[in-house]
Amino acid sequence: KILVTGALGQIGTELVMKMRDMYGANNVIASSRSKRKETEVTESGPFELVDVVNAQQIADAVKKHNVDTVVNLAAILSASGEANPSGTWDINMGGLYNILEVARENNCAVCTPSSIAVFGPSTPKEQTPQDTVMRPTTMYGVTKVAGELLCDYYHMKFNVDTRGMRYPGLISNKALPGGGTTDYAVHIYYEALKHKKYECFLDKGTRMDMMYMPDALNAVIQLMEADPAKLIHRNAFNVTAMSFDPEGIAAEIRKHIPEFELTYNVNQDIQKIANSWPDSLDDSQARKQWNWNPKYDLASMTEDMLTELKKKLNI
Ligand code: VAH
């Protein structure tokens, strides 16, 4: 039985539905700290109110449903994290600590995504290696480095089966992301369809690694099902699918919407975060150790995003 925390977020919304298809609805317990409205996630299988800063709520859900695996998606992202660094520490680190303690006591495996946010200005930007300098300049990044180390520690010290991958920016057409530096690459598709123009908060030439959500979901499934004996980098696998800047995604959109116009209104705080991250990752260790192999590139993602969003927006 799998408990997903942060199940109403950008990743959770789609991961819960995919895992319920694969493993059976009753084997995937969705949880979130609040339930604002009924959705397919809350209605198509078990749902629990769990705030990861409350260890008892995690333990109660794990025991009630006989959980053996926790996928912890509860986190405050990079841009919004800078507006509330202490809350970001409490949820991202306090929550993860609680998850790991409950997992240790109840013999659960734990999958927690890390992020390219673990890297900072002193990290090599091109083909960023799997093992390299990690001096992040955001609280989110600090919690992701510390989170990788804490997960390694719980595996080494208590033999908790901890696994995780460093996600790049994730692009999806179901749930909107919240507070991410890379989220311009989601909003641009909505704006292109609604207004045929987008004012980008990051500057021309800001290249970052990105991934389409279907590939991100496969990464969780593949890593969780991988042979543990092969997992050398257990909690911290670099994974990526593509790398582009705002001009790159705009040019691809123009293949479908020729009159699409991209303008810039740079948010200096978010630009500073984006500038501190790599331009392209080396994800060869994930490919080697658990056969990571993304399916979507910028062209196929753009085709699918526009097709799906047209339906969703009734355009
Ligand atoms: C963010 N989308 O922008 C997240 C992710 C690497 C990016 O961590 O904060």
Side-chain angles (χ1 to χ4, degrees), residues 10 77-79 114-117 140 167-170 179-183 277:
Q10 185 194 16
L77 297 185
S78 58
S114 179
S115 160
I116 62 171
Y140 173 74
Y167 274 142
L170 299 183
T181 299
T182 57
D183 294 346
W277 291 352

Side-chain angles (χ1 to χ4, degrees), residues 51-95:
D51 187 335
V52 294
V53 300
N54 181 323
Q56 193 54 55
Q57 288 180 7
I58 304 167
D60 290 349
V62 164
K63 292 186 172 78
K64 174 180 173 183
H65 294 276
N66 206 10
V67 167
D68 57 50
T69 303
V70 182
V71 180
N72 178 41
L73 304 176
I76 303 285
L77 297 185
S78 58
S80 40
E82 289 310 289
N84 177 13
S86 62
T88 301
W89 178 268
D90 291 345
I91 289 170
N92 296 11
M93 280 321 290

Side-chain angles (χ1 to χ4, degrees), residues 47-296:
F47 177 80
E48 298 289 349
L49 284 175
V50 172
D51 187 335
V52 294
V53 300
N54 181 323
Q56 193 54 55
Q57 288 180 7
I58 304 167
D60 290 349
V62 164
K63 292 186 172 78
K64 174 180 173 183
H65 294 276
N66 206 10
V67 167
D68 57 50
T69 303
V70 182
V71 180
N72 178 41
L73 304 176
I76 303 285
L77 297 185
S78 58
S80 40
E82 289 310 289
N84 177 13
S86 62
T88 301
W89 178 268
D90 291 345
I91 289 170
N92 296 11
M93 280 321 290
L96 176 58
Y97 175 77
N98 291 339
I99 295 275
L100 289 168
E101 273 296 282
V102 171
R104 179 178 63 79
E105 288 159 2
N106 296 275
N107 197 24
C108 301
V110 176
C111 180
T112 300
S114 179
S115 160
I116 62 171
V118 297
F119 302 119
S122 56
T123 304
K125 286 204 177 304
E126 291 297 335
Q127 286 304 300
T128 303
Q130 177 64 52
D131 299 304
T132 186
V133 177
M134 300 194 292
R135 311 289 293 181
T137 51
T138 62
M139 175 56 92
Y140 173 74
V142 167
T143 68
K144 287 300 174 184
V145 173
E148 289 181 8
L149 298 175
L150 192 62
C151 288
D152 276 346
Y153 181 81
Y154 268 74
H155 174 63
M156 174 189 64
K157 183 92 176 180
F158 305 119
N159 201 30
V160 175
D161 182 358
T162 55
R163 305 183 189 194
M165 67 297 276
R166 290 169 185 158
Y167 274 142
L170 299 183
I171 293 158
S172 60
N173 55 59
K174 300 280 185 317
L176 278 170
T181 299
T182 57
D183 294 346
Y184 86 88
V186 178
H187 302 308
I188 193 168
Y189 286 111
Y190 283 84
E191 293 304 301
L193 286 169
K194 287 192 285 191
H195 308 300
K196 297 192 185 324
K197 66 180 183 336
Y198 177 64
E199 185 178 78
C200 189
F201 57 74
L202 292 182
D203 207 353
K204 190 187 288 277
T206 307
R207 271 183 70 223
M208 289 186 280
D209 286 276
M210 300 281 181
M211 186 185 297
Y212 198 28
M213 188 57 79
D215 282 326
L217 303 182
N218 284 330
V220 175
I221 306 291
Q222 277 179 254
L223 179 53
M224 280 167 58
E225 294 186 349
D227 172 6
K230 293 204 179 108
L231 301 181
I232 302 161
H233 292 88
R234 216 163 236 288
N235 294 296
F237 287 98
N238 287 359
V239 287
T240 187
M242 60 190 92
S243 170
F244 55 73
D245 71 340
E247 293 298 324
I249 191 170
E252 199 59 42
I253 288 172
R254 282 193 201 97
K255 291 180 185 169
H256 303 268
I257 306 171
E259 65 276 36
F260 174 68
E261 229 186 290
L262 175 63
T263 57
Y264 295 92
N265 179 8
V266 179
N267 175 312
Q268 294 307 335
D269 294 337
I270 305 181
Q271 186 65 46
K272 185 165 168 285
I273 299 174
N275 291 344
S276 73
W277 291 352
D279 293 352
S280 69
L281 286 194
D282 167 5
D283 63 0
S284 55
Q285 289 306 322
R287 292 168 186 270
K288 203 178 293 173
Q289 298 175 32
W290 50 276
N291 303 318
W292 163 242
N293 180 23
K295 301 284 175 290
Y296 284 88

